[in-house]
Amino acid sequence: IKDRDFLILSPKRSATEEKDFFIKKNQREFKNEILHLKIDLINGNMSAIKDKNHSIAYLEYAQLIFPLTIRKWKQGDFFYPLGMTGKKKLSDFFIDQKISLEKKENIYVLESDGNIAWVINHRIDERFKVSPNTQKTFRLSLKEYFGTISNPPALFTKRIIPASRLYFHVVRLNTANKIQPYTLKIEN
């Protein structure tokens, strides 16, 4: 990944990181090596909830079409961020949120019938928010993300990394465009 004047080299992604996953209508938990979500269906209106914790999504159950899809975001994706009236490309949203290229590579979305309902751990879509007329609320709670206990905003600062990922090589381009290598070793 090239991030401004840095090249960030990381291990090749596993096949699990590249495929789509599905949540069925009556499923109460989703877990794989990347994500762990607790899923609840709450009867009644949750529109009074003013939770700013982006690791929990409260969605209008009646708006969801199952199965839901979990996948990595891709160029061209857009959504209607909660609190905004118009649509926004995810790439522009990430710039506005000052999300680094490395973190962008690891962001997943939850889709309902091809529409993004939640940029996981960032923001829900305005079209899927709970309202005063909501009768059932679909709550997804992010428990783990890449083996890290969900504790925003430091979600990516502590990782449980497999032994094959103990060394990260970062390369900086100096003013003469010569490569200056750095090695980051993570120890327990």
Side-chain angles (χ1 to χ4, degrees):
I1 300 171
K2 184 176 181 196
D3 191 3
R4 294 172 186 85
D5 60 346
F6 290 90
L7 293 176
I8 303 169
L9 307 176
S10 59
K12 186 178 176 183
R13 293 187 188 131
S14 72
T16 304
E17 292 178 273
E18 296 299 328
K19 67 181 187 177
D20 295 350
F21 304 98
F22 301 97
I23 295 177
K24 298 175 190 157
K25 195 170 199 164
N26 296 318
Q27 194 170 334
R28 293 295 164 244
E29 183 176 50
F30 172 84
K31 189 173 185 177
N32 66 14
E33 67 184 52
I34 300 162
L35 294 168
H36 179 194
L37 296 169
K38 184 175 182 270
I39 303 165
D40 300 300
L41 184 59
I42 302 166
N43 287 316
N45 188 318
M46 299 292 291
S47 65
I49 298 283
K50 300 292 183 212
D51 194 346
K52 299 288 185 190
N53 185 347
H54 296 293
S55 66
I56 300 174
Y58 296 92
L59 305 174
E60 169 76 60
Y61 183 74
Q63 296 293 328
L64 299 173
I65 298 172
F66 289 87
L68 303 177
T69 304
I70 294 175
R71 64 167 178 83
K72 277 203 166 189
W73 83 280
K74 55 189 174 208
Q75 286 294 331
D77 278 346
F78 68 89
F79 78 131
Y80 294 78
L82 182 64
M84 293 181 63
T85 54
K87 72 179 179 180
K88 190 167 198 94
K89 283 187 176 180
L90 282 183
S91 56
D92 293 336
F93 175 75
F94 297 149
I95 290 168
D96 293 347
Q97 298 295 308
K98 298 182 180 9
I99 296 173
S100 72
L101 284 174
E102 179 191 12
K103 289 179 185 175
K104 281 188 226 181
E105 292 287 315
N106 298 313
I107 293 178
Y108 285 78
V109 296
L110 176 78
E111 279 186 336
S112 172
D113 195 34
N115 295 307
I116 294 174
W118 183 29
V119 180
I120 297 176
N121 205 41
H122 292 280
R123 184 131 2 137
I124 68 168
D125 188 292
E126 180 75 23
R127 299 169 294 178
F128 294 91
K129 74 177 182 181
V130 292
S131 70
N133 299 326
T134 298
Q135 294 182 13
K136 288 185 178 181
T137 301
F138 194 70
R139 179 177 62 191
L140 297 114
S141 305
L142 181 63
K143 298 300 178 190
E144 292 184 67
Y145 202 28
F146 291 95
T148 302
I149 302 301
S150 178
N151 187 13
L155 183 64
F156 290 94
T157 59
K158 298 177 184 175
R159 293 187 186 181
I160 300 170
I161 302 170
S164 63
R165 293 186 182 180
L166 286 178
Y167 289 91
F168 289 90
H169 302 286
V170 180
V171 179
R172 183 173 198 265
L173 298 175
N174 65 20
T175 54
N177 281 333
K178 301 238 173 159
I179 295 175
Q180 294 177 315
Y182 297 90
T183 300
L184 172 64
K185 182 178 179 185
I186 299 173
E187 298 179 346
N188 292 341

